[in-house]
Amino acid sequence: MRKFVFCVVASIAVMAAVILDKAYTSPRPSAALDDVSASASTRTAVGPEIALAHGIVQVQVTCVGSRIVDVKALQLPHDNNHSWEDSQHAAAVLRGEVLRKQSYHLDAVSGATYTSEAYLQSLQAALDVAAPPAPKMSATAIQ
């Protein structure tokens, strides 16, 4: 009986590892520009859907120029009340940090590591479209 229980637990652990590995290594669709205002300085982009074991994470970002003015979680894991509450908490914390630091280079929220990583991955892709980096200036000789 102990061997059977051990085999079942080991099988479940291997399946979970494969699912998580697949979620983080499969190709991701790129972000899409959702809206551009008439002045062309306000841009809204939707990041790709990032699949996790408990659901999907997807983020929308709005930028004015190169400044991040809003971040919305369009989809969060919600397969059970616990993952839903953790996801909502993580999204709120990450939104505040993104707006404060103006960056997607943040630490994961404790207790919601996978959701945090997926949120930041979707955000990064959306920012690549909504607030692309300024073009590099080349040095030219003045004559």
Side-chain angles (χ1 to χ4, degrees):
M1 182 66 172
R2 288 182 195 202
K3 281 186 178 181
F4 175 75
V5 172
F6 176 77
C7 288
V8 169
V9 170
S11 296
I12 291 171
V14 168
M15 287 177 25
V18 168
I19 289 170
L20 288 174
D21 183 55
K22 178 72 175 161
Y24 281 107
T25 59
S26 62
R28 304 279 181 234
S30 61
L33 193 59
D34 194 38
D35 182 39
V36 178
S37 72
S39 67
S41 66
T42 301
R43 300 166 60 92
T44 300
V46 176
E49 294 180 343
I50 309 297
L52 299 176
H54 294 284
I56 305 256
V57 176
Q58 186 177 31
V59 176
Q60 173 184 296
V61 65
T62 302
C63 297
V64 174
S66 62
R67 185 145 182 85
I68 303 167
V69 295
D70 193 21
V71 182
K72 293 179 185 171
L74 300 178
Q75 296 185 67
L76 292 170
H78 60 277
D79 67 334
N80 61 59
N81 287 340
H82 180 70
S83 65
W84 177 242
E85 290 169 3
D86 287 350
S87 296
Q88 285 185 309
H89 171 72
V93 169
L94 291 169
R95 179 184 186 277
E97 287 296 298
V98 167
L99 294 175
R100 188 172 69 80
K101 293 185 177 179
Q102 293 293 302
S103 174
Y104 61 86
H105 296 290
L106 304 172
D107 292 330
V109 175
S110 179
T113 303
Y114 293 124
T115 300
S116 298
E117 290 172 355
Y119 181 102
L120 296 171
Q121 184 179 355
S122 184
L123 175 64
Q124 178 183 5
L127 282 172
D128 288 345
V129 174
K136 294 188 180 205
M137 305 300 282
S138 61
T140 54
I142 300 175
Q143 297 181 12

